[in-house]
Each structure stands twice: as C-alpha cells, then as structure tokens.
Amino acid sequence: MQVPYKTMSIFGDAQLFRDKLENGWLGIGGVILSDVAGSGSLRSTKVYGSLAYHQMLGLSSLVSAGFNVGWANKRIDLSQLTFPDQFDGKFFDHSIITPDHPVFASTSISYFDIQAGMNYAYFPTTDIYINAGYSLHHVNRPKETFFADAICLALPAHASSHLVSQLDPQRARADGRHPAPHSRLIVILHP
C-alpha cells in the first residue's frame, strides 16, 4: 500500500445519577471515528452513542446492561483507483472499462448500526477481579456495500463474550521486597 493508513478518534463518557439511584448509576458515552486507507482514499466515518445502567449487587458484584447506536458512512474516490484491465502496456488508462471492471453502484454509503450487551463483575477482595460479558453486534444487520449485485449486502449479526480474571499486580509479596507476579487470564469467545 503506497498511501499510509490514517485513523483519528475522539471519545468521552460520564456517570449520571450516581447520587440519585440506590447502588446504581447510568453511564453515557460517545465516540467519533475517522479512517482513511489506500490509494482510493477509502474513508470511513462513524459516530456512536452509548447508554448503560450499572447496578451494584451487594458489596462485591456489579451487573451492567447497555446499548450502542451509531451512524456510519463509507466513501471511496474511484478516480484514484487502477485495475489490471486498465493497463495498456505502458500506463494505466482510467477511460478503459472492460466487462471484468468492477461496477460500483455508489461511491458513498451510510447506515445505522445497533449493538447491545451485558456484563457481570465480581470483586470479593481488593486483589481479585473477575469480569464476564456478552454482546451482540450489528443487531439490525445494516447493509454495507458499494456494489449493486453483491451477494452479501448486510453486515452479519454476531455475538461475542469475554471472561477476564485478574490478581492485583501492585500487591507486594509476603517478604515485602518484590512485587507479586501479575496474573491475568483473558478468554474471548466468538461463536
């Protein structure tokens, strides 16, 4: 690839109603992502907003559920692309179009996207943290293609889950001379 891949992002999140809800709170967040890739300047812009509810269960457990809604746009500059059938032996001629040349229905597409998920965290001591979650991506199966005759027009809905177990890396050994070894187990499952 002659043109480097560039990405930019801005994001933020906040807690709401922490003092108003008993042992719970709302979390809100947002992100804007922008990518540019390749000689065809494939551009991707995504804007997402998230809302989640978090509820403490006793003193050592937390359950969370939330969703994410976003808008995505992808566009490409066809004048910057060359294809093998456009090579005339010396140069690439953009005016050459053959039956093998890809036919683009559009150079810009936009769609809405929805995600949802749940998470459980267990922290019985200050040294132990166990976290498990499950999420569904592309719940609404948005269409993402530049081609009119594409066989697969929709992003597949899929699920993912994770399990994280961690011991506190800051805890000192019993002799007090060295930090305890950091222990962490991460398992990510994709069906």
Side-chain angles (χ1 to χ4, degrees), residues 113-134:
D113 200 6
I114 300 172
Q115 284 69 233
M118 294 186 69
N119 191 71
Y120 175 77
Y122 177 64
F123 34 91
T125 71
T126 58
D127 303 324
I128 299 172
Y129 176 77
I130 299 170
N131 178 313
Y134 183 79

Side-chain angles (χ1 to χ4, degrees), residues 15 18 21-27 51-67 117-123 129-134 162:
Q15 290 181 354
R18 181 127 188 147
L21 301 171
E22 188 170 335
N23 299 319
W25 65 92
L26 284 176
L51 180 67
Y53 180 72
H54 307 275
Q55 179 68 49
M56 292 292 299
L57 303 175
L59 298 175
S60 62
S61 295
L62 174 71
V63 67
S64 304
F67 66 94
M118 294 186 69
N119 191 71
Y120 175 77
Y122 177 64
F123 34 91
Y129 176 77
I130 299 170
N131 178 313
Y134 183 79
H162 72 273

Side-chain angles (χ1 to χ4, degrees), residues 56-110:
M56 292 292 299
L57 303 175
L59 298 175
S60 62
S61 295
L62 174 71
V63 67
S64 304
F67 66 94
N68 174 287
V69 176
W71 170 83
N73 174 266
K74 290 194 176 182
R75 55 208 173 279
I76 193 164
D77 183 356
L78 296 179
S79 70
Q80 299 299 314
L81 295 177
T82 55
F83 300 95
D85 58 356
Q86 292 177 320
F87 189 66
D88 66 6
K90 292 183 181 181
F91 303 102
F92 281 95
D93 182 353
H94 289 282
S95 66
I96 298 174
I97 297 176
T98 67
D100 296 332
H101 192 84
V103 177
F104 290 82
S106 176
T107 58
S108 179
I109 56 164
S110 295

